[in-house]
Amino acid sequence: MPYPSAGRRLRRRLFGSSALLLALVQLSACAEPPANRAVHAAPMLATATPAARPAVEPLASPAAMPRSFSQWREDFRRIALAAGIGADTFERAFAGISPDPAVIRADSSQPEFARPVWEYLDSAVSPQRVVKGQQLLDEHAATLGAIERRYGVERHTLVAVWGMESNFGSNMGNMNVIRSLATLAHEGRRPQFAQDQLLAALSILEHGDVQPQRMLGSWAGAMGQTQFIPTTYQRHAVDFDGDGRRDIWDSTADALASTANYLRASGWQPGQSWGMEVRLPQGFDYALADPDTRKTVGEWLQLGIRPLAENAQVEAAHMQSATLLLPAGHLGPAFLVQDNFRTILKYNNSTAYALAISLLGERFSGGGQVLAGWPRGERPLSRSERIELQERLAQRGFDPGTPDGIIGANTRRAVRASQQQLGWPADGYPNHRLLEQLRQQP
Ligand code: CA
């Protein structure tokens, strides 16, 4: 989503460990590994319309006495049936279901280290993925053309999302979604959220779109080739092949069209670019590189910013809104990113992810090379180092927010203020140099 502020990001109901990593990705050049479905799926946990939550209370409460899974199941069954789920559907879905310890482990993990954004992009936009995507663009040309005509979302982006979400349908996650969500509703860190997703999953089964044993996905409940969580599925999945079922698991047409429908509903602007790599003029004020600072492409050009490559989109984009993105701080590449980039963030609220989709989509037709060099010698701060940085910033009178290792808008502002005080480039990017400086100050 266009998440101009961390405050808005934090209002999204994400599972904690994933929210942590995502916040890192946003601003500290750390990135979730694409192979890690648990982390990768998490952005889909955000719902498009938070107001649409069912008005039922969570069954689990961290403060309450632990309740057995079977007792929880009995209580939840009453809620599900009251919400309109048929008893048959409930019994079929819950047949043989027990809690899954692997789900709890994933839900409670807080990774100490994260990959730098350049390593994430190296694997996300790999030569093999580009070749596979090009083959699939040919193979599904007719379907993709029909989807473009109906939804106005261009095919390279759709195939890039498909490649990133499930490696083109080959890695959808093989965990039983009902079991995962039941585990999380019973004893996860966000029981209300998991319960809402579980009710949505049951209503999908009730509708007959998929059989319970085929409803597979990630530990967090992201399902199928599009990695939709159940509430996103309910709002945005479509039956494009016309067989009467919205099948994002086994119908490529349904999966690609559902992705297009979701992107369009999230604000996709037909015919617009995601953005472009740019170079900044000497003496540029890096404080302007902030998700909250929007200007038209024309205004950015007036500040001396120039596209790095020959770019036919610049003229067309002159009046379009853009923000300046420095995914690795002022020592790395710079990008002007426009509305469609922000739309991709609704699929997965990570700038590294949105950059991977944008570059992969361009790579299918021969573009998408990042021309400036990444600071590959730099290592992103670890979680404990980020917490230490936040604590030291607070000790010096800055306001980085709760020392939780999450680099959100508050921490970014505090980093920037500290950099300005030191007379350093104020890119708001936390690195070892700043941490070392803060350690040495009395
Ligand atoms: Ca279908």
Side-chain angles (χ1 to χ4, degrees), residues 103 143 191 291 295 307 359 429:
V103 169
T143 302
K295 298 176 183 296
L359 296 172
Y429 180 78

Side-chain angles (χ1 to χ4, degrees), residues 238-261:
V238 295
D239 169 27
F240 199 74
D241 63 15
D243 71 349
R245 298 186 306 120
R246 302 183 293 169
D247 184 356
I248 58 173
W249 293 267
D250 295 317
S251 164
T252 295
D254 286 6
L256 291 169
S258 296
T259 295
N261 187 42

Side-chain angles (χ1 to χ4, degrees), residues 288-305:
L288 294 172
D290 188 285
D292 288 342
T293 302
R294 291 196 193 190
K295 298 176 183 296
T296 66
V297 169
E299 288 168 339
W300 287 114
L301 293 175
Q302 282 176 2
L303 292 173
I305 288 181

